[in-house]
Amino acid sequence: MEVLYWSLLILGILYAAITLLFGDVDAAIGEVIHIPFLQPAVLIGGLTSLGASGILLTRYSGLLPWLIFVLSLCAAVVVSTIMYFFYLKSIAKSEHSIAFSLNDLIGSIAEVHTPVPSQGFGEIIIHSKTGATNQIAASFDGIDIPSYTKVVIIDVRDHTAYVSPMEELQRL
């Protein structure tokens, strides 16, 4: 029985080493298995703790082998549960991207940081809930736009935001 425990412990150590060296190996497996508590990290963590607790109880207690297995299995369930609820579930909640598409910015208000010439490029700052981002800007109307002018993003082409001053839009 001790061979089984050692095998499980070594499997867990190898899995941890492979994950450390090659990145998120369990992401591909996690795509196949959609049951949250059966994710590879939870299963491997449970099997590793089953092996470790089995080794410790076999070596340092005088308990019967079947009782050692039951206690080790209980330890594995506890470790897996803790790992799922306090580690994986909280990590999944925090994995929100702050990425955006430039096309999502159309209609947004921005401020000119570097003056936008009538023919050429400047820079605008767009403030949002997640922070501020700087983008390349060109004049939509073909006019010079000085720094600190509030502008509206009218269009986005070739990774460039085409902007128009707020005063120009208010005249219309």
Short mmCIF file of all heavy atoms in Angstrom, two decimals, residues 111-117 120-125 134-139 144-149 151 163:
data_model
loop_
_atom_site.label_atom_id
_atom_site.label_comp_id
_atom_site.label_asym_id
_atom_site.label_seq_id
_atom_site.Cartn_x
_atom_site.Cartn_y
_atom_site.Cartn_z
N GLU A 111 -9.55 63.34 -24.15
CA GLU A 111 -8.87 64.62 -24.04
C GLU A 111 -7.58 64.54 -24.85
O GLU A 111 -6.86 63.55 -24.79
CB GLU A 111 -8.55 64.93 -22.57
CG GLU A 111 -7.92 66.28 -22.37
CD GLU A 111 -7.68 66.58 -20.89
OE1 GLU A 111 -8.43 66.05 -20.05
OE2 GLU A 111 -6.73 67.32 -20.61
N VAL A 112 -7.31 65.60 -25.60
CA VAL A 112 -6.10 65.62 -26.42
C VAL A 112 -4.90 65.81 -25.52
O VAL A 112 -4.84 66.73 -24.70
CB VAL A 112 -6.17 66.75 -27.48
CG1 VAL A 112 -4.87 66.84 -28.25
CG2 VAL A 112 -7.34 66.52 -28.41
N HIS A 113 -3.94 64.92 -25.66
CA HIS A 113 -2.71 65.00 -24.87
C HIS A 113 -1.61 65.67 -25.70
O HIS A 113 -1.01 66.64 -25.27
CB HIS A 113 -2.30 63.59 -24.46
CG HIS A 113 -1.04 63.51 -23.65
ND1 HIS A 113 -0.63 64.49 -22.81
CD2 HIS A 113 -0.10 62.54 -23.55
CE1 HIS A 113 0.51 64.15 -22.23
NE2 HIS A 113 0.86 62.97 -22.68
N THR A 114 -1.37 65.15 -26.88
CA THR A 114 -0.43 65.74 -27.83
C THR A 114 -1.27 66.37 -28.93
O THR A 114 -2.15 65.69 -29.48
CB THR A 114 0.51 64.66 -28.41
OG1 THR A 114 1.16 63.99 -27.34
CG2 THR A 114 1.52 65.26 -29.34
N PRO A 115 -1.05 67.64 -29.28
CA PRO A 115 -1.89 68.31 -30.27
C PRO A 115 -2.07 67.48 -31.54
O PRO A 115 -1.14 66.84 -32.02
CB PRO A 115 -1.14 69.60 -30.57
CG PRO A 115 -0.30 69.83 -29.37
CD PRO A 115 0.06 68.48 -28.84
N VAL A 116 -3.29 67.51 -32.05
CA VAL A 116 -3.62 66.77 -33.27
C VAL A 116 -3.62 67.78 -34.42
O VAL A 116 -4.48 68.66 -34.47
CB VAL A 116 -5.00 66.09 -33.15
CG1 VAL A 116 -5.35 65.36 -34.43
CG2 VAL A 116 -5.05 65.16 -31.95
N PRO A 117 -2.66 67.65 -35.34
CA PRO A 117 -2.63 68.59 -36.47
C PRO A 117 -3.72 68.25 -37.50
O PRO A 117 -4.30 67.17 -37.48
CB PRO A 117 -1.23 68.38 -37.07
CG PRO A 117 -0.85 67.00 -36.66
CD PRO A 117 -1.54 66.72 -35.36
N GLY A 120 -2.09 64.78 -39.96
CA GLY A 120 -1.08 64.08 -39.16
C GLY A 120 -1.72 63.45 -37.93
O GLY A 120 -2.93 63.29 -37.87
N PHE A 121 -0.88 63.16 -36.98
CA PHE A 121 -1.35 62.40 -35.83
C PHE A 121 -0.95 63.08 -34.52
O PHE A 121 0.10 63.70 -34.42
CB PHE A 121 -0.77 60.98 -35.84
CG PHE A 121 -1.12 60.23 -37.10
CD1 PHE A 121 -0.22 60.14 -38.14
CD2 PHE A 121 -2.36 59.63 -37.22
CE1 PHE A 121 -0.54 59.44 -39.29
CE2 PHE A 121 -2.70 58.94 -38.36
CZ PHE A 121 -1.79 58.85 -39.42
N GLY A 122 -1.80 62.91 -33.54
CA GLY A 122 -1.53 63.36 -32.18
C GLY A 122 -1.87 62.22 -31.23
O GLY A 122 -1.93 61.06 -31.64
N GLU A 123 -2.12 62.59 -29.99
CA GLU A 123 -2.42 61.56 -29.00
C GLU A 123 -3.55 62.03 -28.10
O GLU A 123 -3.60 63.19 -27.70
CB GLU A 123 -1.16 61.29 -28.17
CG GLU A 123 -1.31 60.16 -27.19
CD GLU A 123 -0.01 59.89 -26.43
OE1 GLU A 123 0.81 60.82 -26.31
OE2 GLU A 123 0.14 58.77 -25.94
N ILE A 124 -4.45 61.07 -27.79
CA ILE A 124 -5.56 61.37 -26.89
C ILE A 124 -5.48 60.46 -25.68
O ILE A 124 -4.86 59.40 -25.73
CB ILE A 124 -6.93 61.21 -27.58
CG1 ILE A 124 -7.09 59.78 -28.13
CG2 ILE A 124 -7.13 62.26 -28.65
CD1 ILE A 124 -8.47 59.47 -28.66
N ILE A 125 -6.11 60.89 -24.59
CA ILE A 125 -6.23 60.08 -23.38
C ILE A 125 -7.71 59.80 -23.15
O ILE A 125 -8.53 60.71 -23.15
CB ILE A 125 -5.65 60.80 -22.15
CG1 ILE A 125 -4.17 61.07 -22.34
CG2 ILE A 125 -5.88 59.98 -20.89
CD1 ILE A 125 -3.54 61.87 -21.22
N ASN A 134 -3.89 55.72 -23.62
CA ASN A 134 -3.49 56.68 -24.64
C ASN A 134 -3.65 56.01 -26.00
O ASN A 134 -3.31 54.85 -26.16
CB ASN A 134 -2.04 57.10 -24.46
CG ASN A 134 -1.83 57.86 -23.17
OD1 ASN A 134 -2.66 57.83 -22.28
ND2 ASN A 134 -0.70 58.54 -23.08
N GLN A 135 -4.14 56.78 -26.98
CA GLN A 135 -4.33 56.25 -28.32
C GLN A 135 -3.86 57.28 -29.34
O GLN A 135 -3.90 58.49 -29.09
CB GLN A 135 -5.81 55.92 -28.58
CG GLN A 135 -6.39 54.87 -27.67
CD GLN A 135 -5.73 53.51 -27.84
OE1 GLN A 135 -5.35 53.12 -28.93
NE2 GLN A 135 -5.58 52.80 -26.75
N ILE A 136 -3.45 56.78 -30.49
CA ILE A 136 -3.08 57.65 -31.60
C ILE A 136 -4.37 58.25 -32.14
O ILE A 136 -5.38 57.57 -32.29
CB ILE A 136 -2.36 56.85 -32.70
CG1 ILE A 136 -1.08 56.25 -32.15
CG2 ILE A 136 -2.08 57.72 -33.91
CD1 ILE A 136 -0.42 55.25 -33.07
N ALA A 137 -4.31 59.56 -32.48
CA ALA A 137 -5.51 60.23 -32.96
C ALA A 137 -5.20 61.08 -34.18
O ALA A 137 -4.09 61.58 -34.34
CB ALA A 137 -6.10 61.10 -31.86
N ALA A 138 -6.21 61.24 -35.02
CA ALA A 138 -6.15 62.12 -36.18
C ALA A 138 -7.43 62.94 -36.19
O ALA A 138 -8.45 62.54 -35.63
CB ALA A 138 -6.02 61.31 -37.46
N SER A 139 -7.38 64.09 -36.85
CA SER A 139 -8.53 64.97 -36.89
C SER A 139 -9.54 64.46 -37.91
O SER A 139 -9.21 64.27 -39.09
CB SER A 139 -8.09 66.39 -37.25
OG SER A 139 -9.21 67.22 -37.39
N ASP A 144 -6.84 71.66 -36.87
CA ASP A 144 -5.89 71.50 -35.77
C ASP A 144 -6.67 71.44 -34.45
O ASP A 144 -7.60 72.22 -34.24
CB ASP A 144 -4.92 72.69 -35.71
CG ASP A 144 -3.96 72.70 -36.89
OD1 ASP A 144 -3.69 71.62 -37.45
OD2 ASP A 144 -3.49 73.80 -37.25
N ILE A 145 -6.25 70.54 -33.58
CA ILE A 145 -6.89 70.41 -32.27
C ILE A 145 -5.80 70.54 -31.21
O ILE A 145 -4.90 69.71 -31.13
CB ILE A 145 -7.62 69.06 -32.12
CG1 ILE A 145 -8.60 68.85 -33.28
CG2 ILE A 145 -8.35 69.01 -30.78
CD1 ILE A 145 -9.22 67.47 -33.31
N PRO A 146 -5.85 71.61 -30.39
CA PRO A 146 -4.79 71.83 -29.39
C PRO A 146 -4.91 70.86 -28.20
O PRO A 146 -5.93 70.21 -28.00
CB PRO A 146 -5.02 73.27 -28.95
CG PRO A 146 -6.45 73.56 -29.26
CD PRO A 146 -6.82 72.69 -30.43
N SER A 147 -3.85 70.83 -27.41
CA SER A 147 -3.83 70.01 -26.19
C SER A 147 -4.93 70.42 -25.24
O SER A 147 -5.37 71.57 -25.24
CB SER A 147 -2.48 70.16 -25.47
OG SER A 147 -1.46 69.62 -26.25
N TYR A 148 -5.36 69.50 -24.40
CA TYR A 148 -6.38 69.69 -23.36
C TYR A 148 -7.78 69.96 -23.90
O TYR A 148 -8.66 70.33 -23.15
CB TYR A 148 -5.97 70.79 -22.36
CG TYR A 148 -4.59 70.57 -21.80
CD1 TYR A 148 -3.54 71.41 -22.15
CD2 TYR A 148 -4.34 69.50 -20.95
CE1 TYR A 148 -2.27 71.19 -21.66
CE2 TYR A 148 -3.07 69.27 -20.46
CZ TYR A 148 -2.03 70.12 -20.82
OH TYR A 148 -0.77 69.90 -20.33
N THR A 149 -7.99 69.75 -25.20
CA THR A 149 -9.32 69.93 -25.78
C THR A 149 -10.11 68.63 -25.61
O THR A 149 -9.59 67.55 -25.84
CB THR A 149 -9.21 70.26 -27.29
OG1 THR A 149 -8.41 71.42 -27.45
CG2 THR A 149 -10.58 70.48 -27.91
N VAL A 151 -12.57 65.94 -26.84
CA VAL A 151 -12.94 65.46 -28.16
C VAL A 151 -13.84 64.24 -28.06
O VAL A 151 -13.90 63.59 -27.02
CB VAL A 151 -11.68 65.12 -29.01
CG1 VAL A 151 -10.88 66.35 -29.34
CG2 VAL A 151 -10.83 64.08 -28.32
N VAL A 163 -10.97 61.93 -34.34
CA VAL A 163 -11.68 62.69 -33.32
C VAL A 163 -12.15 64.03 -33.85
O VAL A 163 -11.61 64.56 -34.82
CB VAL A 163 -10.78 62.90 -32.08
CG1 VAL A 163 -10.42 61.57 -31.44
CG2 VAL A 163 -9.52 63.68 -32.41
#
